[in-house]
């Protein structure tokens, strides 16, 4: 397996990583600012959760109509334009007098545009790196994502103590602009990986092919459902502890960083493949303690320990790529990304609704219990679904 150091010697890897880091910082600062703005204005846990994670709901439409563009658009242009649109939309959210409904409309529109970004980015990463380089490469992206979330949420919490949420949204828009500049100047102009024009029909055909394999279906469900339900728990941080939400998010990002390092670099392949289910159980189990309404320090420990379980995603993505022909790699990874984000949005909505009817603590515990049950059911089904190689010879990958 390639070392992390060797990845930085690969052309285009570093600017792609730095662009993603700046985008994550923008998302964390902007999301925390928007959630705080909406919660202060409405006092609603549901609307606060939707403002932070509602863009994920638009991923369903993106995965249905736009995802064929992941392999059929020039990657540099697509990533740069998507990031610029995110900058413009975040700046629009800072407009004074924009009602909560208008804010949520902008959130959904940004999610629809961003639904294409995951497939383009991870398809390009799969193209830039050698076949055995994807796992450590994605691990490094996840680690950087965790560091940027820690920094972004901690910085965002400090900024919100000194500045208004709208000012923080403008700072997030500036970070998106920086990300777009890095991507435009750092990436080379590559042709699309697949021929043909992006279209809803091309998206549907490729999605149908990806979904036709039972092992791939179970892998997708394992990537989407347990993860999404736990993000539903995270979406209640603002309403659970309004003055310490940034701390809880930062602790969760720290745990995710530890999980990615462990799975991506420390575990041998033979051990790694057996740990997906245990890690998914770890991802949810600590949140069951929220039923007792723990104080913030205990909640922070729960968030840190649980988030180590996000390392299961690396194992599942490695399995997904083994099951998928290279020509569909971009759309396969885009479907994973869009589906994950869509389930996160749905779970945030469900968690916010439960919190409205009960309490944030009770809703957190309920979402965690659901994640545990789904993980056990999928593990039982997977034992009857052997791993198979993708049908037909995979076309040769272009390597840099």
């Amino acid at each position: 397996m390639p070392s992390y150091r060797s990845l930085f010697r690969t052309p285009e890897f570093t600017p792609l990583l730095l662009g993603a880091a700046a985008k994550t910082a923008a998302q964390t600062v902007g999301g925390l600012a928007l959630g705080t703005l909406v919660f202060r204005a409405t006092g609603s846990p549901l609307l606060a959760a939707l403002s932070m994670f509602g863009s994920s709901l638009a991923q369903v439409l993106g995965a249905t109509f736009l995802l064929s563009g992941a392999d059929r658009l020039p990657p540099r242009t697509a990533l740069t334009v998507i990031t610029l649109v995110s900058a413009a939309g975040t700046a629009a959210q800072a407009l004074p007098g924009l009602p909560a409904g208008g804010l949520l409309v902008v959130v959904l529109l940004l999610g629809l545009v961003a639904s294409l970004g995951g497939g383009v980015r991870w398809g390009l990463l799969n193209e830039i790196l050698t076949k055995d380089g994807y796992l450590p490469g994605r691990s490094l992206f996840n680690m950087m994502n965790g560091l940027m979330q820690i920094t972004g949420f901690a910085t965002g919490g400090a900024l919100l103590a000194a500045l208004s949420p709208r000012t923080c949204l403008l700072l997030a828009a500036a970070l998106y602009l920086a990300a777009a500049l890095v991507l435009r100047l750092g990436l080379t102009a590559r042709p699309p990986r697949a021929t043909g024009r992006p279209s809803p029909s091309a998206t549907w055909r490729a999605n149908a092919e990806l979904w036709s394999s039972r092992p791939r279906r179970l892998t997708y469900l394992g990537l989407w459902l347990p993860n999404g339900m736990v993000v539903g728990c995270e979406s209640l941080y603002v309403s659970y502890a309004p003055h310490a939400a940034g701390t809880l998010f930062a602790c969760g990002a720290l745990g995710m960083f530890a999980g990615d390092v462990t799975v991506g670099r420390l575990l041998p392949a033979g051990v790694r493949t057996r740990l997906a289910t245990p890690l998914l159980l770890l991802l949810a189990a600590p949140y069951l303690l929220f039923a007792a309404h723990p104080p913030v320090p205990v909640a922070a420990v729960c968030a840190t320990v649980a988030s180590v379980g996000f390392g299961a995603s690396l194992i599942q993505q490695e399995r997904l790529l083994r099951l998928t022909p290279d020509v569909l790699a971009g759309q396969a990874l885009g479907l994973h990304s869009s589906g994950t984000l869509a389930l996160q949005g749905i779970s945030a909505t469900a968690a916010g609704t439960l919190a409205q009817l009960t309490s944030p603590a009770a809703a957190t515990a309920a979402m965690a219990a659901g994640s545990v049950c789904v993980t056990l059911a999928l593990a039982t089904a997977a034992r009857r679904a052997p791993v198979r190689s993708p049908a037909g010879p995979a076309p040769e990958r272009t390597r840099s």
Side-chain angles (χ1 to χ4, degrees), residues 31-215:
L32 185 59
L34 185 61
T36 302
L37 177 67
V38 171
F39 188 68
R40 288 179 183 176
T42 65
S44 168
L46 173 59
L47 291 179
L50 281 176
S51 65
M52 294 189 70
F53 297 95
S55 63
S56 302
L57 294 171
Q59 299 285 334
V60 175
L61 292 175
T64 304
F65 297 105
L66 303 178
L67 206 51
S68 61
D71 293 303
R72 292 174 170 82
L73 292 173
R76 183 180 68 175
T77 300
L79 289 174
T80 302
V81 170
I82 289 169
T83 308
L84 288 174
V85 171
S86 297
T90 303
Q93 291 170 338
L95 291 173
L98 191 64
L103 288 171
L104 292 178
V105 169
V106 176
V107 166
L108 292 174
L109 290 175
L110 288 178
L112 181 61
V113 174
S115 64
L116 186 56
V120 177
R121 181 179 306 106
W122 306 131
L124 178 58
L125 180 66
N126 194 46
E127 186 177 356
I128 288 172
L129 300 177
T130 58
K131 186 172 282 290
D132 62 346
Y134 180 82
L135 180 69
R138 186 63 190 267
S139 169
L140 197 53
F141 266 79
N142 287 0
M143 289 162 55
M144 181 62 74
N145 183 66
L147 287 174
M148 287 299 101
Q149 286 189 17
I150 294 170
T151 304
F153 283 125
T155 304
L159 288 173
L160 284 169
L163 304 172
S164 70
R166 287 190 170 86
T167 301
C168 293
L169 284 168
L170 292 176
L171 292 174
L175 286 170
Y176 276 121
L177 289 175
L181 184 64
V182 169
L183 293 170
R184 179 63 181 82
L185 298 179
L187 298 178
T188 59
R190 289 172 174 261
R193 285 178 293 276
T195 58
R197 297 178 60 183
S199 67
S201 60
T203 300
W204 298 336
R205 284 195 301 270
N207 283 346
E209 181 176 350
L210 290 168
W211 197 250
S212 65
S213 161
R214 184 169 184 263

Side-chain angles (χ1 to χ4, degrees), residues 6-388:
S6 68
L7 296 177
F8 286 104
R9 294 195 294 268
T10 303
E12 298 184 84
F13 179 82
T14 299
L16 186 62
L17 178 67
L18 292 177
K23 182 184 76 71
T24 299
Q27 287 177 324
T28 52
V29 172
L32 185 59
L34 185 61
T36 302
L37 177 67
V38 171
F39 188 68
R40 288 179 183 176
T42 65
S44 168
L46 173 59
L47 291 179
L50 281 176
S51 65
M52 294 189 70
F53 297 95
S55 63
S56 302
L57 294 171
Q59 299 285 334
V60 175
L61 292 175
T64 304
F65 297 105
L66 303 178
L67 206 51
S68 61
D71 293 303
R72 292 174 170 82
L73 292 173
R76 183 180 68 175
T77 300
L79 289 174
T80 302
V81 170
I82 289 169
T83 308
L84 288 174
V85 171
S86 297
T90 303
Q93 291 170 338
L95 291 173
L98 191 64
L103 288 171
L104 292 178
V105 169
V106 176
V107 166
L108 292 174
L109 290 175
L110 288 178
L112 181 61
V113 174
S115 64
L116 186 56
V120 177
R121 181 179 306 106
W122 306 131
L124 178 58
L125 180 66
N126 194 46
E127 186 177 356
I128 288 172
L129 300 177
T130 58
K131 186 172 282 290
D132 62 346
Y134 180 82
L135 180 69
R138 186 63 190 267
S139 169
L140 197 53
F141 266 79
N142 287 0
M143 289 162 55
M144 181 62 74
N145 183 66
L147 287 174
M148 287 299 101
Q149 286 189 17
I150 294 170
T151 304
F153 283 125
T155 304
L159 288 173
L160 284 169
L163 304 172
S164 70
R166 287 190 170 86
T167 301
C168 293
L169 284 168
L170 292 176
L171 292 174
L175 286 170
Y176 276 121
L177 289 175
L181 184 64
V182 169
L183 293 170
R184 179 63 181 82
L185 298 179
L187 298 178
T188 59
R190 289 172 174 261
R193 285 178 293 276
T195 58
R197 297 178 60 183
S199 67
S201 60
T203 300
W204 298 336
R205 284 195 301 270
N207 283 346
E209 181 176 350
L210 290 168
W211 197 250
S212 65
S213 161
R214 184 169 184 263
R216 272 200 300 263
R217 285 199 302 274
L218 291 174
T219 302
Y220 275 125
L221 292 174
L223 282 161
W224 295 342
L225 294 173
N227 176 307
M229 296 176 118
V230 168
V231 170
C233 300
E234 294 180 340
S235 73
L236 298 175
Y237 286 168
V238 171
S239 53
Y240 183 82
H243 302 295
T247 299
L248 294 178
F249 278 116
C251 287
L254 177 63
M256 184 174 66
F257 178 87
D260 287 329
V261 172
T262 302
V263 173
R265 292 305 302 164
L266 302 181
L267 295 179
V271 175
R272 188 169 62 236
T273 56
R274 297 194 296 269
L275 288 183
T277 296
L279 284 171
L280 288 175
L281 292 173
L282 175 64
L283 181 62
Y287 286 109
L288 296 173
L289 297 177
F290 274 62
H293 206 296
V296 169
V298 176
V301 172
C302 291
T304 305
V305 174
S307 296
V308 173
F310 280 117
S313 175
L314 290 173
I315 303 170
Q316 295 166 306
Q317 288 174 62
E318 189 177 38
R319 173 185 169 91
L320 178 63
L321 286 175
R322 287 200 307 269
L323 294 168
T324 304
D326 282 0
V327 72
L328 288 175
Q331 183 152 346
L333 293 168
L335 185 59
H336 143 57
S337 179
S338 294
T340 299
L341 290 171
L343 263 295
Q344 288 176 0
I346 292 169
S347 296
T349 304
T353 302
L354 282 174
Q356 290 277 112
L357 298 174
T358 56
S359 71
T364 298
M367 297 301 292
S371 180
V372 168
C373 292
V374 167
T375 295
L376 293 174
L378 290 173
T380 301
R383 283 196 287 267
R384 298 191 294 269
V387 177
R388 299 171 185 167

